Amino acid sequence: MELLLEEKHRAVRQSVRRFCDRELRPIAAQIDQECRFPWEVVEKMGKLGYFGIQVPKALGGAGLDSVSYAIVIEEISRVSAAIGLCITVHNSVAVYPILSFGSKEQIQKWVPPLARGEKIGAFCLTEPNAGSDAGGIEATAHVDGEDYIVNANKVFVTNGGIADICLIFCRTDPSAGARGISVVVAERGTNGFVVGDLEDLCGMRANPVCSIRLYDCRIPVSNLLATKGMGMKIGLAALDTGRMGIAAQAVGIAQAAFEEAIRYTKQRHQFGVPIERHQAIQTMIADMATQLDASRLLVYRAAALKDKKLPFSKESAMAKLFASEAATYVTDLAVQIHGGYGYSKAYAVERYYRDARVTRIYEGTSEIHRMVIAKSVLKE
Amino acid sequence: MHIIVCIKSVVTEAPIGKIVRTANNSALNPFDRPAIETALKLKENHGGTVTVLSMGPPTAEAILREALAMGANRAMLLCDPAFAGADTLATSTVLCAAVAYLKPFDLLLFGTRTSDSDTGQVGPQTAVLLDLPIVTGIHKTTFTPDCLIVERESDGFQETYEVNFPAALTIDQTAAVPRDPGLEGIAAAFDEMPVETISIEQLNLDSARTGDAGSPTRVLSMKPVRKNRSCQWIEGTPVKQADSLVRQLVDKGLIG
């Protein structure tokens, strides 16, 4: 695995791991239980460049490649998946679309504070009646003078409770179907911009996931990203990168569960020997290790393709599908190895198990990813 | 002001037999981080440049890049087969030649010790070879344009010295909290900044004075120490347990 990485990537991993083990690990279980977003750590992450991993230096970012990006997300998620989620969503589906589709003025205005972590981004696509079928969104934006009047009900917004800059997917042309969808950038604090209550989720509890509603919210027409009707294209491009981040997050969760499981198999004795000596446990360890390595390889491949500016959409879908399924499998076995203790909040694997589950759901379900992959394969 | 910081790539796992250094078992000596941080703070507050210097195998380049990522301006790796197998004297000889190569400089900093061989000799030895004044185990530095005021603690006393430039210091761990290398720094260290590699010829050194040939020290054997641990249950009320524990620790001379 390490053979595929450059020294730079190793340095990125070492640096992020040291920071997260020191700053985030001592509070990771607590912030999960308290549903608390740890600003005290996140502010430090901002100073270290975690909020602008691939943003060019001239715009306040770190200017790193996609492989580094995957490693950063993996390492943060190894300690706290909820914070890994904050960082990946911010970088991949908030900052990246502005950087790729925004005008020069929009980039200059929004990207530097986002890249420095002074502002936090969110991606608002999902609605109560539109998830996998993103083309079915009901949010609307119609022009009134210099402004759009936006009405939207966006749910399950990652970073929703803290986001300053939100990409809102809405219909600018109700008669044009999926081609009538556009992205406008809404800033927190605008009249009519309402942040809903925190979702009481199974996992990722330290991330302030909530709904964001816009009631007759006036947003300047100049906040339209790219051109009218580009919404689906922006969304799909963002999700190509985003799903690589979620795949990396799944790898981080699985890695954490795997490490805990290995530790426990050496520590726990049954039938007079450490349980690592039992073949039934060894079978689980072998399967976990293999699933984990395969996931990581798929993630790094997708990232390396992106860095080489080669097509990576199918590969990032494969990485997301496989790594998220593997993470639920690996965390499940980690709980199994821990027996009754694994079902207790006193042991970290309980949190990993809960956190892993959603990776198969958000930023495209496993089922949607299979559709994406099949479509791509059959077209080849 | 030109500050040179000598740093080491240490082995993170206790070796069984001969040490084979790889990227995975090497890391920047944790005792060197406060020295790097002290240099970077002096640079930020009073201007100047920071050069990091290390003698080691090619894998040691990684720690120099890490120091660049933290904010050092220049990195130099003293790497030559003739440097291999060096004890502290041979190491100091090479560092001395490299520091002379990097002249002029104002401060030469070291950590107090290393986490692997842990002799604490290289800093003082190099200073002696360079005929530089040295103060060891510095807790605090205060800059003035003419000199540096440094504080150290020894045997329960705090000593304060005024040190003229150029001087050598070994920096205690309490002197500064080392910064994390940010992602931007890492990108710059790997994508934009060079690590200069210097060989024995460039330093004009005689190979009889370096590496194994120049090392009077002979390590006869090296093996991990096995400590026998015993577990003892102390019975009784918490107060009695605490009394018993304290008494046993006092009896063993562990607390006084």
Side-chain angles (χ1 to χ4, degrees):
Chain A
M1 187 73 60
E2 293 292 315
L3 289 175
L4 302 175
L5 299 181
E6 298 167 15
E7 278 301 321
K8 175 171 70 177
H9 302 135
R10 198 190 298 272
V12 167
R13 185 189 302 285
Q14 193 189 41
S15 168
V16 178
R17 180 170 291 200
R18 193 184 307 121
F19 175 82
C20 290
D21 278 343
R22 190 185 68 231
E23 303 279 338
L24 202 50
R25 185 172 297 286
I27 58 167
Q30 184 200 5
I31 58 175
D32 170 72
Q33 283 309 294
E34 295 174 358
C35 296
R36 182 174 74 81
F37 187 71
W39 279 110
E40 71 278 19
V41 178
V42 171
E43 278 171 9
K44 289 181 189 170
M45 289 179 158
K47 292 200 172 72
L48 291 173
Y50 294 8
F51 282 82
I53 301 168
Q54 291 186 265
V55 174
K57 287 185 184 182
L59 291 166
L64 282 168
D65 56 14
S66 297
V67 174
S68 300
Y69 169 67
I71 290 170
V72 174
I73 302 306
E74 178 187 331
E75 287 300 325
I76 301 171
S77 303
R78 175 176 164 269
V79 178
S80 168
I83 306 308
L85 176 63
C86 164
I87 302 290
T88 186
V89 163
H90 172 97
N91 275 280
S92 66
V93 291
V95 177
Y96 170 76
I98 297 177
L99 207 50
S100 307
F101 294 96
S103 66
K104 215 179 251 175
E105 294 73 30
Q106 289 173 333
I107 289 171
Q108 281 300 338
K109 182 180 174 194
W110 289 316
V111 172
L114 284 168
R116 291 191 294 262
E118 292 158 8
K119 297 212 162 169
I120 291 182
F123 179 84
C124 306
L125 175 62
T126 301
E127 297 181 358
N129 296 319
S132 293
D133 180 14
I137 60 166
E138 292 161 2
T140 58
H142 67 264
V143 179
D144 181 58
E146 302 277 288
D147 298 325
Y148 279 114
I149 308 287
V150 184
N151 281 285
N153 180 13
K154 299 296 182 180
V155 295
F156 297 124
V157 180
T158 297
N159 295 344
I162 49 167
D164 306 283
I165 293 170
C166 299
L167 273 58
I168 310 280
F169 287 76
C170 47
R171 296 193 170 279
T172 42
D173 183 354
S175 60
R179 289 192 184 167
I181 295 172
S182 305
V183 178
V184 293
V185 178
E187 296 190 50
R188 186 194 187 92
T190 313
N191 269 343
F193 182 112
V194 176
V195 180
D197 289 339
L198 281 186
E199 295 289 347
D200 190 9
L201 300 176
C202 164
M204 303 288 167
R205 295 176 65 83
N207 192 295
V209 177
C210 59
S211 55
I212 284 183
R213 301 190 188 92
L214 276 60
Y215 296 106
D216 290 333
C217 195
R218 293 190 90 86
I219 295 170
V221 171
S222 59
N223 282 20
L224 175 75
L225 213 53
T227 52
K228 269 167 70 168
M230 284 278 283
M232 287 306 274
K233 193 175 173 199
I234 295 171
L236 292 175
L239 289 171
D240 274 346
T241 305
R243 57 175 62 122
M244 207 159 67
I246 299 302
Q249 183 199 33
V251 171
I253 301 170
Q255 175 68 33
F258 181 65
E259 287 173 25
E260 283 300 311
I262 295 288
R263 195 185 351 257
Y264 193 76
T265 58
K266 292 177 186 297
Q267 174 194 326
R268 171 79 168 171
H269 286 65
Q270 289 291 279
F271 304 104
V273 290
I275 60 170
E276 67 172 345
R277 304 265 290 275
H278 297 308
Q279 196 174 32
I281 299 289
Q282 291 173 1
T283 307
M284 291 189 211
I285 295 293
D287 286 346
M288 291 162 86
T290 307
Q291 293 280 321
L292 181 55
D293 263 18
S295 305
R296 192 175 274 126
L297 285 167
L298 283 171
V299 175
Y300 291 174
R301 177 181 71 162
L305 284 170
K306 189 177 178 215
D307 285 335
K308 288 193 191 317
K309 304 207 183 322
L310 294 167
F312 68 99
S313 181
K314 179 186 75 180
E315 289 77 6
S316 90
M318 285 176 163
K320 201 274 188 186
L321 169 65
F322 192 88
S324 61
E325 296 285 342
T328 50
Y329 178 76
V330 170
T331 54
D332 181 68
L333 288 185
V335 168
Q336 195 65 21
I337 285 171
H338 279 70
Y341 293 115
Y343 200 57
S344 159
K345 290 196 192 303
Y347 284 75
V349 290
E350 184 269 347
R351 171 164 55 95
Y352 304 148
Y353 178 71
R354 284 186 286 111
D355 283 345
R357 187 60 183 84
V358 75
T359 61
R360 280 164 57 195
I361 300 171
Y362 59 23
E363 295 212 18
T365 59
S366 289
E367 293 66 35
I368 289 293
H369 280 93
R370 289 190 173 96
M371 280 170 56
V372 170
I373 295 163
K375 202 169 156 190
S376 176
V377 169
L378 294 171
K379 213 164 64 180
E380 277 164 10
Chain B
M1 189 161 58
H2 179 202
I3 307 172
I4 301 171
V5 190
C6 296
I7 61 177
K8 184 183 180 188
S9 172
V10 292
V11 181
T12 52
E13 295 158 7
I16 300 166
K18 194 173 181 293
I19 302 168
V20 181
R21 288 164 191 268
T22 66
N24 283 332
N25 70 10
S26 305
L28 172 57
N29 174 30
F31 296 99
D32 292 341
R33 289 179 190 275
I36 298 171
E37 181 64 34
T38 300
L40 294 175
K41 283 256 166 61
L42 283 168
K43 176 184 93 162
E44 281 160 9
N45 295 332
H46 309 289
T49 57
V50 172
T51 303
V52 282
L53 187 60
S54 188
M55 186 188 88
T59 49
E61 189 180 314
I63 64 148
L64 290 164
R65 299 254 181 224
E66 190 172 342
L68 289 173
M70 287 171 79
N73 304 86
R74 184 178 176 192
M76 190 175 274
L77 177 64
L78 311 168
C79 187
D80 196 298
F83 298 158
D87 68 2
T88 59
L89 178 65
T91 303
S92 301
T93 302
V94 174
L95 289 177
C96 172
V99 170
Y101 180 91
L102 284 167
K103 268 180 179 170
F105 68 95
D106 301 284
L107 272 177
L108 179 62
L109 303 188
F110 298 85
T112 50
R113 48 197 271 225
T114 54
S115 65
D116 51 3
S117 45
D118 201 13
T119 64
Q121 294 167 355
V122 169
Q125 237 166 213
T126 309
V128 168
L129 290 175
L130 284 161
D131 205 14
L132 277 181
I134 179 162
V135 189
T136 56
I138 301 302
H139 289 251
K140 193 180 169 197
T141 54
T142 312
F143 180 86
T144 76
D146 310 317
C147 68
L148 201 64
I149 298 167
V150 296
E151 291 173 19
R152 74 190 290 265
E153 275 175 29
S154 175
D155 291 336
F157 284 89
Q158 186 195 300
E159 301 170 352
T160 306
Y161 292 86
E162 215 179 82
V163 184
N164 295 324
F165 305 116
L169 305 172
T170 70
I171 304 293
D172 190 81
Q173 270 202 297
T174 56
V177 179
R179 68 194 64 191
D180 291 296
L183 297 182
E184 186 184 347
I186 294 172
F190 283 89
D191 298 341
E192 294 160 20
M193 300 173 86
V195 168
E196 302 160 57
T197 302
I198 301 288
S199 66
I200 190 163
E201 287 82 26
Q202 287 159 285
L203 295 180
N204 253 333
L205 276 170
D206 176 0
S207 63
R209 292 177 59 214
T210 68
D212 192 46
S215 298
T217 312
R218 286 287 169 268
V219 179
L220 295 180
S221 78
M222 188 154 64
K223 57 189 175 193
V225 178
R226 284 194 195 284
K227 283 187 182 151
N228 288 323
R229 302 169 86 178
S230 61
C231 179
Q232 183 195 337
W233 288 99
I234 303 175
E235 306 285 345
T237 64
V239 173
K240 280 199 172 145
Q241 287 179 33
D243 282 347
S244 167
L245 176 64
V246 169
R247 199 173 54 246
Q248 291 191 48
L249 291 174
V250 170
D251 288 348
K252 289 189 171 161
L254 296 171
I255 56 174

